[in-house]
Amino acid sequence: MAELLVRNARLVNEGREFDADLLVRNGRIDKIAGSIEGVRARLEIDAAGQWLLPGMIDDQVHFRDPGAPHKGSLASESRAAVAGGITSFMDMPNTDPATLTLEALADKKRRAAAVSRANYSFHFGVSNDNLETVAALDPTQVAGVKVFMGASTGNMLVDDPKVLERLFIACPTLLLAHCEHTPSILTNEARWRDRHGDFIPATAHPRIRDAEACYRSSSLAVDMARRFGTRLHVLHLTTARELALFAPGPVADKRITAEACLHHLLFDDSDYVRLGHLIKCNPAIKSRSDRDALRQALADDLIDVIGTDHAPHTLEEKRRVYARAPSGLPLVQHALPAALELVSEGVLSLAQVVRKTSHAVAELFAIRERGFLREGYWADFVLVERLLQPRPVASEPVLAHCGWTPLQHRSFHHAVRTTVVSGQLAWHQGQVQDRCQGLPLLFDR
Ligand code: DOR
């Protein structure tokens, strides 16, 4: 017997929209057809009036496992993720210990295999002294290699030009870069400290981590990638100026790609007054015109994918003074509804959101048999309802372990009704389905 038959859905896939039924068998999409008859399934869902979209593949999360269970864990944050329509995630290496060795990588995989509700994979980290391990990585065993070319949470800055050069030459897989120029950030911060002592206002954050710091670092990364032929993916762009570094077009044609994150698409610097350190993140949320330029760059295919950069910290930590309040915000629980606001606002089409959150991510990382609604592929999808009345985020319990969301004053026009991960119900009728177990992502490289 098949596991699941979804009837009467409106599918959005590979640029097309159409009404169909979808059958799941052995974790995979068995059949997509106008009407599927004569088949028995353990569960049938009538999805009339709902969109059926490929689940979001989030290329950047910080789930804090191992090392900071008071902030989050693979178990808690993957539960929040499936509620937000994320079916697969790629976790960053700035855990404790950092993912700088094959042992640390194997440990994270073991942990996820036991508790992750979503499909999972891991980026490998770079330090000043693990280049040999990085160069020898099996590209099928990691999602990518992440380098902090700007300092952020967890002391992983790599700024020695010689190490960077060797990394750009020898990286055996996609190289993901966090780009901010740390020396200019430190100079800016010292200037604000001279004036305000410990009490630097949150509104200073985009002036300390400013557009110049971003450009100096991302232009260096792009220059090096061009020089050495590196397959580079620049993470979380935040400024209009950086966009000139990237070319439009499909992912398949590019050696240098870019990501935008939800908070940089939803907030701007006017939000610091109300939300303070709750929206303190690296790189910083910048001006309204930067935000609008990022949105346009997505529409123009200068920016290829949308991620969350989910980075939970506790409220107690966020309430500290500027220098001691950590950067990062929890976002996975509202990922797809937040991305779909760009559709409601007329910035992107539904097909474009599907491409940036799923198809393009699968192509970029060469993920095997996921990211598209195709017969034979894994059944990773969501049912989404367009609401007549926008729903306040505050009306739902927060699932991230930190217990807060920067979106608490927002309302969204779409709700994720069901999330299916590798053929299993992961989120349904407002509940995480804790029997669901995510699978490791595999890469065709
Ligand atoms: O704001 C951020 N938080 N940016 C990062 O680069 C790291 C992240 C975290 O891990 O907290």
Side-chain angles (χ1 to χ4, degrees):
M1 197 189 293
E3 290 106 271
L4 173 63
L5 177 55
V6 182
R7 290 201 183 279
N8 307 315
R10 180 118 185 117
L11 276 64
V12 182
N13 188 50
E14 302 185 60
R16 285 179 57 225
E17 261 183 40
F18 54 102
D19 294 323
D21 296 350
L22 184 149
L23 183 71
V24 176
R25 200 191 290 276
N26 298 327
R28 292 175 183 263
I29 299 172
D30 188 64
K31 193 169 182 187
I32 298 172
S35 172
I36 298 176
E37 301 301 336
V39 181
R40 288 197 328 130
R42 270 197 289 282
L43 176 69
E44 267 195 40
I45 297 176
D46 182 357
Q50 299 186 43
W51 302 103
L52 192 160
L53 318 175
M56 179 163 173
I57 305 172
D58 191 347
D59 71 338
Q60 183 176 197
V61 303
H62 303 264
F63 282 175
R64 311 296 186 212
D65 200 346
H70 65 293
K71 295 181 197 265
S73 65
L74 286 159
S76 63
E77 307 314 278
S78 67
R79 294 180 92 247
V82 294
I86 293 169
T87 49
S88 301
F89 63 84
M90 302 181 188
D91 186 59
M92 284 294 166
N94 58 335
T95 41
D96 184 12
T99 321
L100 295 169
T101 63
L102 295 179
E103 293 72 33
L105 176 68
D107 176 51
K108 283 175 98 166
K109 288 184 180 180
R110 260 193 311 273
R111 287 165 184 266
V115 298
S116 182
R117 300 293 154 252
N119 305 313
Y120 54 87
S121 62
F122 298 95
H123 296 304
F124 202 78
V126 183
S127 69
N128 285 313
D129 46 26
N130 77 338
L131 272 193
E132 274 171 27
T133 313
V134 170
L137 280 173
D138 175 349
T140 64
Q141 293 304 305
V142 293
V145 169
K146 161 78 178 281
V147 59
F148 282 89
M149 290 176 66
S152 192
T153 307
N155 263 334
M156 292 186 73
L157 177 65
V158 178
D159 58 356
D160 178 336
K162 288 210 181 63
V163 174
L164 284 175
E165 194 170 304
R166 281 169 52 213
L167 171 67
F168 274 66
I169 291 169
C171 189
T173 178
L174 200 68
L175 179 62
L176 297 88
H178 176 128
C179 293
E180 287 184 294
H181 184 248
T182 298
S184 54
I185 291 170
L186 294 176
T187 306
N188 293 343
E189 186 169 349
R191 218 176 287 135
W192 280 84
R193 205 174 321 108
D194 286 347
R195 256 186 287 156
H196 296 269
D198 267 352
F199 300 98
I200 297 173
T203 47
H205 192 52
R207 295 186 181 84
I208 292 172
R209 290 189 173 253
D210 63 3
E212 176 64 20
C214 292
Y215 189 79
R216 279 181 78 161
S217 180
S218 48
S219 58
L220 172 67
V222 168
D223 271 359
M224 288 178 57
R226 287 200 186 120
R227 207 150 18 110
F228 301 121
T230 317
R231 182 64 195 81
L232 175 71
H233 185 49
V234 181
L235 296 166
H236 40 42
L237 291 186
T238 56
T239 65
R241 186 170 171 206
E242 291 167 288
L243 297 170
L245 300 167
F246 300 90
V251 161
D253 296 351
K254 296 186 190 181
R255 303 254 338 135
I256 299 174
T257 48
E259 177 211 49
C261 289
L262 288 172
H263 43 308
H264 301 121
L265 297 165
L266 295 177
F267 295 110
D268 62 57
D269 58 7
S270 66
D271 292 303
Y272 288 106
V273 175
R274 192 158 50 102
L275 294 169
H277 294 155
L278 294 186
I279 57 163
K280 182 184 185 214
C281 58
N282 305 336
I285 290 162
K286 308 282 193 313
S287 69
R288 172 63 68 112
S289 59
D290 287 310
R291 187 205 73 169
D292 290 346
L294 297 175
R295 290 174 164 207
Q296 188 58 45
L298 278 167
D300 295 343
D301 281 339
L302 274 170
I303 297 180
D304 305 281
V305 303
I306 300 175
T308 65
D309 197 8
H310 176 87
H313 298 282
T314 67
L315 270 183
E316 185 274 313
E317 293 164 330
K318 284 291 200 180
R319 286 190 186 119
R320 295 175 188 161
V321 294
Y322 177 82
R324 297 202 311 115
S327 288
L329 15 150
L331 287 160
V332 284
Q333 186 181 346
H334 304 98
L336 210 48
L340 291 169
E341 283 303 289
L342 299 174
V343 178
S344 304
E345 292 184 36
V347 177
L348 298 179
S349 68
L350 194 49
Q352 281 173 315
V353 167
V354 166
R355 181 142 52 85
K356 306 284 175 190
T357 57
S358 193
H359 302 332
V361 194
E363 285 172 355
L364 188 57
F365 291 90
I367 299 172
R368 183 180 300 168
E369 296 167 342
R370 301 187 189 274
F372 298 86
L373 304 175
R374 289 180 184 158
E375 292 177 0
Y377 272 44
W378 287 101
D380 291 339
F381 62 84
V382 293
L383 295 174
V384 170
E385 188 175 331
R386 165 121 178 90
L387 305 170
L388 294 174
Q389 291 295 327
R391 187 166 72 169
V393 167
S395 66
E396 299 292 307
V398 174
L399 294 171
H401 182 75
C402 65
W404 63 276
T405 163
L407 300 165
Q408 63 211 342
H409 302 297
R410 301 274 174 138
S411 294
F412 290 139
H413 292 81
H414 297 84
V416 177
R417 295 296 184 212
T418 301
T419 304
V420 173
V421 170
S422 298
Q424 310 151 81
L425 281 184
W427 167 256
H428 191 50
Q429 297 174 333
Q431 300 293 326
V432 178
Q433 306 294 306
D434 279 309
R435 267 179 317 194
C436 175
Q437 177 55 55
L439 297 177
L441 298 186
L442 301 178
F443 303 96
D444 282 325
R445 294 172 172 156

